[in-house]
Amino acid sequence: MQGDGTLKKRYDYLDNEEQVLEKKVQEMQARLDFLRFKKWYYKTSVEAGTEAIHFTPGTNFVDPTTHDQYKEKLRETSDIHDLIDL
C-alpha cells in the first residue's frame, strides 16, 4: 500500500501558515508596544498637566530619552495597566 502523497504538502502548508501568523503576531506586538508607550506618554502628560515634561528643555521636541524612561518604568512594574491607564 502506497502512502498518501499529499501528507507532506499539507504539512508544508501548515508550516507556512505558522510562519505567516508568527510574522503577523510580531507586527501586532510591535504596534501594541508602541500604542502602550504612547498611552504612558499621554497619561504622564495629563497627570503633569503638560506635555512639556517630555520635551528637551527649552524646545518643543520630545526628549530622546523619553522612550528609555518608559522602558525603565516598564521594567519596574508587574502590571502594564498600572503604568498606562488613567
Side-chain angles (χ1 to χ4, degrees):
M1 188 162 160
Q2 195 123 23
D4 184 340
T6 67
L7 289 176
K8 179 71 166 93
K9 288 179 184 179
R10 288 184 276 166
Y11 174 87
D12 289 343
Y13 170 79
L14 294 174
D15 190 48
N16 183 61
E17 284 299 300
E18 179 183 31
Q19 291 174 31
V20 168
L21 287 174
E22 283 179 350
K23 183 177 181 189
K24 286 180 182 181
V25 167
Q26 290 171 355
E27 291 169 354
M28 291 176 71
Q29 185 63 55
R31 291 176 63 188
L32 180 60
D33 291 344
F34 182 71
L35 179 138
R36 287 178 168 167
F37 163 70
K38 292 302 281 188
K39 281 185 72 176
W40 170 84
Y41 176 95
Y42 286 108
K43 175 189 176 188
T44 53
S45 296
V46 166
E47 291 171 342
T50 180
E51 188 177 0
I53 63 166
H54 297 298
F55 294 163
T56 300
T59 74
N60 288 334
F61 299 104
V62 175
D63 188 309
T65 65
T66 301
H67 196 261
D68 293 333
Q69 294 169 17
Y70 167 73
K71 288 192 287 186
E72 180 61 33
K73 296 290 185 186
L74 189 57
R75 283 190 288 273
E76 295 171 359
T77 188
S78 60
D79 185 355
I80 182 70
H81 295 284
D82 289 342
L83 186 63
I84 65 173
D85 292 342
L86 285 173

